């Protein structure tokens, strides 16, 4: 088997990526995707070579979360395919493909990892929420830092962000812990969402840019038209598009801060959708989101608020049923920074 990625070199040409994104530095997974896509199309990565998530992360000096996102996008474009138990296999492109050679230099490349909490946040979030379906855990800050090779300051900042999202809390002794997603706790989360989200939607409705509503309805329509192609990550993104991005137009930062701490279930959705087998067909919440979006587009704000309330009622029942199915599966393995409570 050939090498996965050329060995680390002196880095990406200054300004190259920034120019491609109109002055905004692209995220790590976007940069990794561009480089891998260019290497596949150019033949630097040959058909049949395997791309393991862990090796991609290691070679690029990034965490596994952005490596996973880059590989998922390559799969969507048909540049790689899943290999059971062995990551992904490079494929020859079928038909015309974009020219990626201008987006990534052909020289040896190494993406330097970020030195902040952002480097580890998504992966830690996923690992903690994954295990919250099975019980409560103490999160040991210094063990978290050691596990990811970061300072305790970085680990503490990541945990603080998880605290803002309601994923972790602090006990009476100021120790971090992740509460179990018990039926009682999930019910409390949905009760608070049922109070706060309609209020946020009322404020957001007159402030919504038309392009935001169009993008929301277009994305929902695409997902409903081809449900077999919609995976857990996409479903989670569609949830966040309504419940976080759209409601974020409410203009009340304090309200959104309060709301974010009760949206733990949104954080868990990718895991829940992937871990709990779904019945074939369109995911029920897509039509409910579309109902909200169409009422907003028609200028019927209060009708949209009522549709959102109805959606939250249905979401609670589905979340409980999905959590129960998840608990029937084997629990994920232990992690050095999580201690069962």
């Amino acid at each position: 088997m050939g090498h996965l990625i050329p060995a680390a070199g002196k880095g990406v040409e200054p300004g190259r990526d920034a120019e491609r994104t109109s002055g905004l530095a692209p995220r790590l997974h976007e940069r990794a995707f561009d480089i891998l896509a260019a290497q596949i199309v150019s033949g630097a990565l040959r058909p049949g070579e395997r791309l393991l998530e862990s090796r991609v992360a290691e070679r690029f000096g990034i965490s596994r979360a952005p490596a996973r996102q880059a590989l998922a996008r390559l799969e969507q474009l048909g540049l790689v395919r899943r290999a059971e138990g062995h990551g992904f296999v490079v494929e020859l492109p079928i038909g015309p493909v974009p020219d990626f050679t201008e987006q990534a230099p052909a020289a040896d490349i190494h993406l330097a990892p970020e030195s902040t909490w952002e480097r580890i946040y998504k992966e830690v979030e996923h690992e903690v929420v994954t295990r919250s379906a099975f019980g409560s855990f103490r999160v040991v800050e210094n063990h978290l830092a050691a596990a990811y090779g970061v300072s305790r300051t970085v680990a503490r900042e990541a945990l603080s962000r998880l605290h803002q999202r309601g994923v972790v809390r602090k006990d009476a002794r100021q120790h971090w812990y992740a509460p179990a997603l018990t039926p009682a706790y999930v019910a409390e989360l949905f009760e608070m969402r049922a109070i706060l989200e309609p209020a946020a939607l009322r404020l957001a409705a007159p402030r919504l840019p038309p392009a935001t509503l169009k993008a929301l309805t277009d994305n929902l329509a695409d997902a409903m038209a081809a449900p077999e192609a919609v995976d857990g990550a996409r479903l989670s993104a569609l949830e966040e598009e309504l419940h976080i991005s759209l409601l974020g137009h409410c203009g009340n930062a304090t309200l959104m801060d309060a709301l974010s701490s009760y949206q733990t279930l949104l954080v868990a959705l990718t895991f829940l959708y992937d871990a709990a087998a779904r019945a074939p067909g369109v995911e029920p919440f897509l039509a409910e989101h579309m109902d909200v979006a169409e009422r907003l587009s028609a200028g019927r704000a209060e009708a949209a608020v009522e549709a959102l309330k109805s959606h939250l009622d249905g979401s609670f029942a589905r979340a409980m049923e999905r959590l129960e199915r998840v608990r029937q599966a084997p629990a994920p393995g232990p992690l050095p920074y999580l201690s069962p409570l």
Side-chain angles (χ1 to χ4, degrees):
M1 183 177 73
H3 61 275
L4 173 64
I5 302 171
K10 295 184 178 180
V12 177
E13 179 182 336
R16 191 180 190 101
D17 286 328
E19 291 173 3
R20 185 169 61 82
T21 54
S22 302
L24 294 177
R27 290 176 291 183
L28 289 177
H29 73 86
E30 293 171 336
R31 296 170 67 194
F33 163 80
D34 285 341
I35 294 166
L36 289 171
Q39 291 175 345
I40 292 171
V41 172
S42 69
L45 283 172
R46 298 183 297 277
E49 291 193 54
R50 298 193 184 278
L51 295 177
L52 301 179
E53 182 182 296
S54 58
R55 294 284 303 282
V56 171
E58 176 186 351
R59 290 284 183 165
F60 281 138
I62 58 180
S63 71
R64 293 182 68 162
R68 186 181 308 127
Q69 289 176 281
L71 288 168
R73 189 174 171 199
L74 290 170
E75 184 185 22
Q76 289 176 348
L77 290 181
L79 298 179
V80 301
R81 62 175 171 83
R82 290 182 186 271
E84 187 65 30
H86 297 285
F88 296 81
V89 175
V90 174
E91 292 281 342
L92 279 174
I94 299 175
V97 296
D99 182 6
F100 295 99
T101 56
E102 293 300 317
Q103 298 178 11
D108 291 348
I109 297 165
H110 184 78
L111 295 179
E114 296 185 20
S115 59
T116 69
W117 60 273
E118 294 169 301
R119 176 190 164 201
I120 67 172
Y121 177 84
K122 278 295 182 183
E123 187 168 342
V124 175
E125 178 184 73
H126 180 267
E127 299 290 8
V128 172
V129 172
T130 294
R131 287 154 180 80
S132 295
F134 297 89
S136 298
F137 293 84
R138 181 184 171 194
V139 187
V140 186
E141 185 179 290
N142 60 325
H143 292 177
L144 174 63
Y148 284 92
V150 298
S151 68
R152 288 192 64 172
T153 300
V154 170
R156 187 177 305 119
E157 181 65 18
L159 289 171
S160 296
R161 303 286 173 163
L162 290 172
H163 185 249
Q164 292 174 4
R165 291 280 279 156
V167 176
V168 300
R169 295 179 175 180
K170 279 194 171 184
D171 62 20
R173 300 178 63 186
Q174 296 301 297
H175 292 153
W176 297 107
Y177 76 99
L181 292 173
T182 63
Y185 181 44
V186 173
E188 289 179 2
L189 292 173
F190 270 96
E191 285 175 359
M192 293 305 299
R193 290 181 63 190
I195 295 170
L196 297 174
E197 290 196 23
L201 183 57
R202 283 193 182 92
L203 293 174
R207 297 178 169 88
L208 290 175
T212 297
L213 276 176
K214 185 178 186 306
L216 176 62
T217 54
D218 287 350
N219 290 339
L220 290 169
D222 288 346
M224 294 169 72
E228 69 285 351
V230 181
D231 61 8
R234 188 172 176 195
L235 289 171
S236 183
L238 289 167
E239 287 274 33
E240 293 200 9
E241 192 170 12
L242 173 65
H243 295 287
I244 295 177
S245 299
L246 187 143
L247 295 184
H249 287 278
C250 72
N252 188 323
T254 302
L255 174 58
M256 289 307 298
D257 285 344
L259 181 56
S260 68
S261 66
Y262 297 106
Q263 288 181 318
T264 305
L265 259 294
L266 285 179
V267 177
L269 279 174
T270 297
F271 162 66
L272 293 176
Y273 284 128
D274 285 339
R278 306 194 310 274
V282 177
E283 183 67 30
F285 84 75
L286 297 177
E288 296 167 4
H289 280 208
M290 184 66 85
D291 191 20
V292 174
E294 288 177 341
R295 296 183 188 201
L296 287 170
S297 297
R300 301 170 58 213
E302 279 306 312
V305 168
E306 292 305 313
L308 177 61
K309 291 179 180 177
S310 178
H311 162 59
L312 290 173
D313 286 342
S315 294
F316 171 65
R318 290 192 294 269
M320 293 301 300
E321 187 269 339
R322 190 168 275 127
L323 275 168
E324 185 55 36
R325 278 187 282 143
V326 168
R327 293 191 187 99
Q328 304 306 312
L335 289 174
Y337 56 87
L338 295 180
S339 300
L341 292 176

